[in-house]
C-alpha cells in the first residue's frame, strides 16, 4: 500500500456555497465545528485580530520535505533535504538515507514528548516529597488520598504496615524520583509494576525496557545525532524505549497527582466558551500541571468578597487544555475550551486573566490579549512569554502566590471595555471525574468481586464491540473537533464503549457527548443496554455520559490500566484485548510519544493527521505493519473519519473473533489459551 495520505479534509475552496449563507460563517465552519468557536472567529475577523486559524492559512503550502520527515537538521552542514527518487538528492551530505532521517526525526519527536510529560511527573513527585518532609505548609498542599498512596506503595513493593503516612509518602516520592535517574539496568518501577507479565517479557526480549527516564531521553538524542545510528529499525526501537519512559513519567504524574489532589470521582459541570460569564471576574487556567491551578481555585474562593467589592458577582475559574481537564475531573471547574480555542477565550472580552503553566500555550495569547484588557500571567521558569506578567510560582508559598494572581485578575476586571464584550451562550452539561477507580466502582454495581468481568463479558457476549480510547489534540489541518466528533459518533453508534482524555475529551465535552444521559442519544442499542444496566445497578445521582472523561494527557495511563485489567481478567496479553485508540487530530510531540507507547503496549492506534513519516516506505511499513508482528499494536494512519471508523471497528471485531475462537479451543481441548495474536 502506498503511504500517501496527505491531509485533504480541510478542503479550502472546495465547499459549495449554501444559498443565503453568510460567507464569513461559511469560512469559519471550515476552521471549526464548535459553534462557540465559530462565533468568536467571526468576532476576530470583525476586529481584524489574527488567530492561529489565520496563521495556518498563511503557512500554506507547507514544505513537503518537512511534511515527509525528509528534512535533516541534526548538523549545521544542513539542512539536507532528501528526495529518494532523485539521483544526487537521495541522501544527505553525510550519506544518511531517507529511512535514517525519517526514523531520526520521529525518535527525536518522541524524546520531545517524553521530556514534557516526564518533567511534569518529576514536578509532582518533588512536590509530594517536599510535602512529606514538612517543607511545604498544609495551607498549600497535603496528602489527600491516603488509600491511593498505600495502594501505590504496595504495588511497587514497599512495606506499608505501621508506616506513618508522611514517611510512606516520602518513600513513594523517592521511588518515583529513582525512575528518573537510576544508573543500573533494572526497568523503571512505574513501568514494570503496572503492565502484564506478557508485556514485561516482550519489552525485555526486544531490549526496549527503559531503566531511567532521563537516561532514555539522553540516549535517544545521542543515538540520533550526526554520525551515530543509521539503522532505522534500531532507531525506532530506541524511540520505543523512550516512549516507554514517557509512559513511566505519565503514570507517576497521574498516581501522585491523585495522592496530592484526590482521585477523581464523578462530578457534574459544564463545557465550552459559554462558561465565561461576564458578571464574574473570569480567570482561565491553561496548561497542564495541577499544582498551580488547584491553588488558583482555592485562592478564587478565598477572594470572592474582594471581587464583589470590585462590582463582580464573584470569581469564576475556568480551564483550558489539560489544566482544565485536571480541574474539571477533581473540582468540577468549567472547561472553557481545548487547545485551538485558547485565543478565542480572550476574545470574549470578559476574560480578566489567563494564568498559564506548562505546555500547549501559544505565545500568541499575549498578542491577542493586547487588544483586550486580559492580563496573561506566566508562572513557570521554563515558560516566559515576552510582554506577559511573570509570577514566580513556588510550592512553599503557593496559596499566597495564587492570591496575588487572583488579585491581578480583579484589578483587570476594572479595566474591561464593555464595547468589546462578546460572550457566547454555547455551553454543555458534562459528567466528568472518571478515574479508573470511579469507573471500576460503577462496574462493581453489577459484580462486586470481579467488576472488570462486567466489561469483558459484555464484549464477549456481543452487547458491546470493545473499548476505544480517544486522545490527543486539535490540529488546524482539520476543522477543529470535526474528526474527533465524527469518529466518536461513528464508534458510539456501533456499540463501542469510549473513554477520552486531553483535548479529545474537550471536544466531546463541548459537543454534549459527556452530558448526563447522553449515551441514550449517541449510543447504539447494545451500548445503551450496557450503560443502562450500569446506571440502574449503581443507582447513580447523575445520568451516565456517552463518552467517559478519563482526564488529561498524562491520564492516558488510566486507560492503559484499564486494558491491563481487562487482559488480566481475560487471561491474555494486551494484544488480544478488544481495545483500540484514536488520536483524530494529533498535533503535539507528546501525541507522538503517547501513540508510540500505546502501539508498543499492543493496541491498534489510529492517527487522523499524517505524522511526518511518509518520506520512508520502510519507516511507514514498520509503524503500520511490522509493529503488529512484533508488539501486537500498530498504527492506522487515516485522515478520513469514515474509513477510520470502519478500520477501528475491524480491529475490534478481529480481536473479539480471535478471543472467542481461542477460548472455545481451550475449553474443548482443556489447554491453556493460545498466546497468538
Ligand atoms: S493539551 S498535548 S493539545 S491533548 Fe494536553 Fe491538548 Fe494535545 Fe496539548
Amino acid at each position: 500500500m502506498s503511504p500517501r495520505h496527505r491531509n485533504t479534509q480541510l478542503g479550502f475552496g472546495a465547499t459549495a456555497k449554501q444559498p443565503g449563507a453568510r460567507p464569513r460563517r461559511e469560512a469559519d465552519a471550515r476552521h471549526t465545528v464548535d459553534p462557540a468557536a465559530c462565533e468568536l472567529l467571526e468576532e476576530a475577523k470583525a476586529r481584524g485580530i489574527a488567530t492561529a486559524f489565520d496563521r495556518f492559512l498563511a503557512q500554506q503550502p507547507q514544505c513537503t520535505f518537512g511534511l515527509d520527515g525528509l528534512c535533516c537538521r541534526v548538523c549545521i552542514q544542513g539542512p539536507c533535504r532528501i528526495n529518494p527518487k532523485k539521483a544526487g538528492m537521495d541522501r544527505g551530505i553525510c550519506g544518511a538515507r531517507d529511512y535514517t532521517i525519517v526514523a531520526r526525526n520521529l525518535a527525536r519527536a518522541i524524546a520531545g514528548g517524553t521530556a514534557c510529560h516526564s518533567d511534569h511527573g518529576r514536578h509532582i513527585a518533588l512536590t509530594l516529597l517536599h510535602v512529606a518532609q514538612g517543607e511545604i505548609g498544609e495551607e498549600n498542599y497535603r496528602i489527600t488520598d491516603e488509600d491511593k498512596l498505600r495502594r501505590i506503595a504496595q504495588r511497587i513493593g514497599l512495606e506499608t504496615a505501621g508506616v506513618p503516612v508522611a514517611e510512606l509518602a516520602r518513600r513513594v516520592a523517592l521511588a518515583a524520583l529513582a525512575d528518573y535517574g537510576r544508573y543500573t539496568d533494572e526497568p523503571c518501577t512505574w513501568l514494570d509494576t503496572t503492565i502484564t507479565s506478557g508485556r514485561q517479557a516482550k519489552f525485555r526480549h526486544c531490549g526496549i525496557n527503559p531503566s531511567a527516564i532521563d537516561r532514555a531521553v539522553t540516549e535517544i538524542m545521542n543515538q540520533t545525532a550526526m554520525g551515530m545510528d543509521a539503522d532505522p529499525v534500531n532507531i525506532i526501537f530506541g524511540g520505543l524505549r523512550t516512549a516507554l519512559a514517557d509512559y513511566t513519567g505519565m503514570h507517576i504524574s497521574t498516581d501522585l497527582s491523585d495522592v496530592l489532589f484526590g482521585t477523581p470521582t464523578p462530578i457534574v459541570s459544564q463545557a465550552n466558551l459559554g462558561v465565561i460569564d461576564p458578571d464574574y471576574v473570569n480567570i482561565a487556567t491553561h496548561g497542564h500541571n495541577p499544582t498551580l491551578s488547584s491553588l488558583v481555585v482555592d485562592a478564587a474562593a478565598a477572594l470572592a468578597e474582594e471581587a464583589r467589592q470590585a462590582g463582580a458577582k464573584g470569581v469564576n475559574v475556568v480551564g483550558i487544555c489539560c489544566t482544565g481537564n485536571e480541574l474539571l475531573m477533581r473540582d468540577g471547574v468549567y472547561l472553557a475550551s481545548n487547545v485551538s480555542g485558547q485565543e478565542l477565550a480572550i476574545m470574549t472580552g470578559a476574560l480578566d486573566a489567563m494564568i498559564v503553566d506548562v505546555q500547549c500555550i501559544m505565545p500568541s495569547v499575549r498578542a491577542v490579549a493586547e487588544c483586550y484588557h486580559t492580563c496573561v500571567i506566566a508562572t513557570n521558569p521554563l515558560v516566559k512569554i515576552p510582554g506577559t506578567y511573570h509570577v514566580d510560582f513556588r510550592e512553599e508559598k503557593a496559596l499566597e502566590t495564587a492570591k496575588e494572581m487572583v488579585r491581578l485578575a480583579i484589578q483587570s476586571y476594572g479595566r474591561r471595555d464593555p464595547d468589546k464584550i462578546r460572550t457566547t451562550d454555547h455551553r454543555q452539561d458534562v459528567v466528568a471525574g472518571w478515574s479508573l477507580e470511579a469507573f471500576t466502582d460503577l462496574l462493581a454495581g453489577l459484580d462486586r468481586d470481579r467488576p472488570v468481568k462486567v466489561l469483558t463479558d459484555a464484549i464477549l457476549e456481543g452487547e458491546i464491540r470493545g473499548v476505544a480510547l480517544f486522545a490527543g489534540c486539535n490540529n488546524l489541518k482539520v476543522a477543529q473537533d470535526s474528526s474527533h466528533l465524527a469518529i466518536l459518533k461513528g464508534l458510539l453508534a456501533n456499540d463501542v464503549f469510549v473513554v477520552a482524555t486531553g483535548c479529545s475529551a474537550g471536544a466531546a465535552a463541548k459537543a454534549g457527548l459527556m452530558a448526563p444521559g447522553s449515551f441514550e442519544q449517541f449510543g447504539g442499542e447494545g451500548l445503551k443496554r450496557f450503560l443502562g444496566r450500569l446506571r440502574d445497578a449503581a443507582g447513580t445521582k447523575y445520568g451516565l455520559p456517552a463518552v467517559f472523561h478519563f482526564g488529561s494527557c498524562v491520564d492516558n495511563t488510566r486507560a492503559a490500566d484499564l486494558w491491563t485489567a481487562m487482559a488480566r481478567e481475560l487471561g491474555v496479553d494486551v494484544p488480544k484485548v478488544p481495545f483500540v485508540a484514536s488520536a483524530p487530530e494529533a498535533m503535539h510531540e507528546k501525541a507522538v510519544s503517547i501513540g508510540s507507547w500505546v502501539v508498543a503496549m499492543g493496541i491498534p492506534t489510529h492517527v487522523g493527521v499524517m505524522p511526518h513519516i511518509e518520506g520512508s516506505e520502510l519507516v511507514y511499513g514498520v509503524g503500520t505493519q511490522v509493529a503488529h508482528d512484533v508488539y501486537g499494536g500498530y498504527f492506522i494512519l487515516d485522515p478520513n473519519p469514515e474509513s477510520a471508523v470502519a478500520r477501528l471497528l475491524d480491529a475490534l471485531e478481529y480481536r473479539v473473533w480471535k478471543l472467542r475462537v481461542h477460548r472455545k479451543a481451550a475449553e474443548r481441548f482443556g489447554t491453556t489459551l493460545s498466546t497468538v495474536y
Side-chain angles (χ1 to χ4, degrees):
M1 183 178 69
S2 160
R4 300 284 147 182
H5 276 297
R6 194 67 72 212
N7 298 294
T8 51
Q9 276 175 272
L10 203 53
F12 284 94
T15 304
K17 271 198 168 183
Q18 300 300 313
R22 293 168 61 192
R24 192 189 293 147
R25 181 176 285 281
E26 199 182 324
D28 292 343
R30 277 177 281 154
H31 285 308
T32 177
V33 296
D34 172 349
C38 268
E39 285 183 17
L40 271 303
L41 280 176
E42 283 198 39
E43 181 69 6
K45 287 206 173 83
R47 292 194 177 277
I49 300 171
T51 66
F53 296 87
D54 303 302
R55 291 188 296 274
F56 171 77
L57 294 182
Q59 286 292 330
Q60 303 308 313
Q62 288 170 306
C63 168
T64 52
F65 291 100
L67 287 168
D68 285 344
L70 284 170
C71 177
C72 182
R73 294 175 56 253
V74 301
C75 90
I76 52 178
Q77 292 178 105
C80 289
R81 298 162 307 154
I82 309 299
N83 182 346
K85 296 196 178 92
K86 197 166 169 192
M89 272 194 79
D90 62 346
R91 58 199 74 196
I93 294 167
C94 70
R97 296 285 302 270
D98 51 348
Y99 45 73
T100 302
I101 292 170
V102 172
R104 271 184 193 160
N105 287 336
L106 176 65
R108 285 185 166 222
I110 294 172
T114 304
C116 289
H117 287 137
S118 58
D119 225 22
H120 173 166
R122 185 199 328 264
H123 190 189
I124 303 279
L126 284 169
T127 304
L128 180 63
L129 180 67
H130 296 150
V131 169
Q133 293 178 166
E135 293 149 10
I136 299 180
E138 282 253 313
E139 72 283 10
N140 297 309
Y141 305 102
R142 61 213 71 84
I143 291 158
T144 303
D145 192 340
E146 195 182 319
D147 279 350
K148 180 133 190 182
L149 175 69
R150 290 196 181 277
R151 288 200 304 278
I152 295 166
Q154 280 158 3
R155 190 189 72 216
I156 64 173
L158 296 180
E159 179 56 58
T160 57
V163 183
V165 64
E167 175 56 19
L168 198 58
R170 193 183 73 84
R171 292 179 192 175
V172 167
L174 288 175
L177 291 166
D179 268 356
Y180 285 83
R182 183 177 295 103
Y183 56 84
T184 58
D185 286 335
E186 307 137 49
C188 288
T189 305
W190 253 260
L191 172 66
D192 209 42
T193 60
T194 53
I195 56 178
T196 58
S197 55
R199 289 296 93 180
Q200 287 171 340
K202 173 62 72 181
F203 299 156
R204 213 171 29 246
H205 177 72
C206 294
I208 61 165
N209 257 327
S211 58
I213 296 165
D214 292 349
R215 179 175 166 186
V217 175
T218 304
E219 272 183 2
I220 197 67
M221 293 306 284
N222 180 18
Q223 187 178 349
T224 55
M226 188 268 161
M228 290 291 287
D229 203 348
D231 177 343
V233 175
N234 201 42
I235 293 171
I236 290 169
F237 272 44
L240 291 179
R241 185 183 305 111
T242 317
L244 292 177
D246 183 55
Y247 168 91
T248 307
M250 290 171 72
H251 212 304
I252 287 172
S253 180
T254 294
D255 274 355
L256 304 190
S257 292
D258 283 356
V259 170
L260 281 171
F261 307 110
T263 303
T265 53
I267 192 161
V268 177
S269 182
Q270 290 191 323
N272 214 345
L273 290 163
V275 300
I276 296 175
D277 184 336
D279 292 341
Y280 287 76
V281 172
N282 290 295
I283 300 174
T285 58
H286 174 19
H288 281 76
N289 194 329
T291 50
L292 164 69
S293 49
S294 61
L295 268 291
V296 172
V297 174
D298 293 350
L303 298 181
E305 186 48 38
E306 287 187 29
R308 282 192 280 274
Q309 283 166 13
K313 283 186 178 170
V315 183
N316 179 35
V317 179
V318 302
I320 295 176
C321 283
C322 283
T323 282
N325 288 320
E326 297 271 0
L327 294 183
L328 168 65
M329 289 280 279
R330 295 196 178 86
D331 300 308
V333 166
Y334 295 147
L335 182 69
S337 195
N338 46 3
V339 65
S340 291
Q342 57 188 282
E343 296 163 305
L344 307 181
I346 298 172
M347 282 175 213
T348 59
L351 189 68
D352 303 298
M354 178 180 277
I355 301 174
V356 304
D357 52 75
V358 290
Q359 301 165 24
C360 302
I361 301 143
M362 296 189 210
S364 62
V365 289
R366 179 254 171 178
V368 176
E370 261 184 14
C371 306
Y372 293 85
H373 70 294
T374 312
C375 138
V376 179
I377 308 169
T379 57
N380 188 288
L382 302 184
V383 186
K384 295 194 175 178
I385 304 173
T388 62
Y389 287 81
H390 192 92
V391 174
D392 192 18
F393 182 76
R394 288 176 194 278
E395 280 70 22
E396 58 278 12
K397 50 182 182 108
L399 186 61
E400 196 186 314
T401 318
K403 283 185 179 171
E404 195 185 318
M405 291 188 267
V406 172
R407 288 200 172 101
L408 280 172
I410 295 171
Q411 286 166 21
S412 174
Y413 169 83
R415 294 194 295 271
R416 271 191 199 171
D417 179 347
D419 290 341
K420 289 187 178 170
I421 294 180
R422 173 69 166 92
T423 47
T424 164
D425 291 333
H426 293 288
R427 53 203 279 172
Q428 291 279 353
D429 290 339
V430 171
V431 53
W434 297 101
S435 58
L436 185 56
E437 289 85 341
F439 178 58
T440 308
D441 275 354
L442 183 68
L443 295 173
L446 286 170
D447 187 338
R448 189 135 298 282
D449 298 328
R450 290 172 70 182
V452 178
K453 189 168 182 291
V454 174
L455 182 61
T456 52
D457 278 356
I459 295 169
L460 289 170
E461 285 158 17
E463 186 172 39
I464 56 174
R465 294 171 74 162
V467 184
L469 161 66
F470 274 70
C473 327
N474 290 135
N475 183 321
L476 295 182
K477 289 175 175 170
V478 177
Q480 182 194 14
D481 297 347
S482 62
S483 288
H484 287 297
L485 298 181
I487 304 174
L488 276 167
K489 287 177 184 173
L491 292 189
L492 290 169
N494 279 284
D495 298 324
V496 177
F497 174 71
V498 178
V499 303
T501 61
C503 289
S504 190
K510 291 187 295 167
L513 273 61
M514 291 181 171
S518 55
F519 77 90
E520 305 263 21
Q521 182 187 349
F522 295 102
E525 289 310 313
L527 184 63
K528 281 198 262 190
R529 254 195 325 277
F530 174 65
L531 291 176
R533 288 196 294 122
L534 287 180
R535 175 202 53 204
D536 296 345
T540 57
K541 301 191 288 290
Y542 41 80
L544 293 181
V547 175
F548 281 60
H549 196 315
F550 258 40
S552 64
C553 301
V554 294
D555 292 335
N556 283 306
T557 53
R558 296 190 200 275
D561 289 347
L562 176 58
W563 70 58
T564 299
M566 290 170 70
R568 288 180 177 143
E569 177 56 51
L570 289 163
V572 298
D573 195 13
V574 179
K576 292 183 84 162
V577 177
F579 206 121
V580 292
S582 176
E585 302 177 23
M587 170 273 290
H588 204 284
E589 287 176 326
K590 292 179 285 175
V592 181
S593 55
I594 294 169
S596 302
W597 65 250
V598 171
V599 164
M601 290 285 179
I603 302 293
T605 302
H606 165 251
V607 181
V609 181
M610 289 308 295
H612 300 158
I613 62 168
E614 288 181 280
S616 165
E617 301 245 353
L618 190 151
V619 174
Y620 188 98
V622 168
T624 56
Q625 291 166 31
V626 178
H628 174 261
D629 301 339
V630 182
Y631 294 105
Y634 55 94
F635 282 107
I636 301 167
L637 304 176
D638 191 344
N640 181 317
E642 242 175 70
S643 54
V645 169
R647 293 168 76 178
L648 287 165
L649 289 172
D650 280 352
L652 288 174
E653 195 174 304
Y654 175 76
R655 288 188 170 206
V656 175
W657 167 77
K658 201 146 222 180
L659 253 183
R660 286 197 190 120
V661 169
H662 287 178
R663 284 168 81 93
K664 219 180 235 174
E667 272 166 32
R668 185 163 166 214
F669 299 108
T671 57
T672 53
L673 210 52
S674 163
T675 55
V676 173
Y677 47 79

